[in-house]
Coordinates of all heavy atoms in Angstrom, one line a residue:
C126 N 14.2 12.6 13.0 CA 13.9 11.8 11.8 C 15.1 11.2 11.1 O 16.0 12.0 10.7 CB 13.1 12.7 10.8 SG 12.7 11.8 9.3
F128 N 15.1 9.8 8.3 CA 14.9 9.8 6.8 C 15.1 11.1 6.2 O 15.0 11.2 4.9 CB 13.4 9.3 6.5 CG 13.2 7.9 6.9 CD1 11.9 7.4 6.9 CD2 14.2 7.0 7.2 CE1 11.6 6.1 7.2 CE2 13.9 5.7 7.5 CZ 12.6 5.2 7.6
C129 N 15.3 12.2 6.9 CA 15.6 13.5 6.4 C 17.0 13.6 5.7 O 17.9 12.9 6.2 CB 15.4 14.6 7.4 SG 13.7 15.2 7.6
H199 N 10.2 16.2 4.5 CA 9.5 15.6 5.6 C 8.0 15.8 5.7 O 7.3 15.0 6.2 CB 10.2 16.2 6.9 CG 9.8 15.5 8.1 ND1 10.5 14.4 8.7 CD2 8.7 15.7 9.0 CE1 9.9 14.0 9.8 NE2 8.8 14.8 10.0
H250 N 8.0 10.9 8.5 CA 8.5 11.2 7.1 C 7.8 10.2 6.1 O 7.7 9.1 6.4 CB 10.0 10.9 7.2 CG 10.7 11.5 6.0 ND1 11.6 12.6 6.1 CD2 10.7 11.2 4.7 CE1 12.0 12.9 4.9 NE2 11.5 12.1 4.0
Ligands
LIG1327 ZN1 12.1 13.5 7.9

Side-chain angles (χ1 to χ4, degrees):
C126 181
F128 294 167
C129 273
H199 188 92
H250 197 110

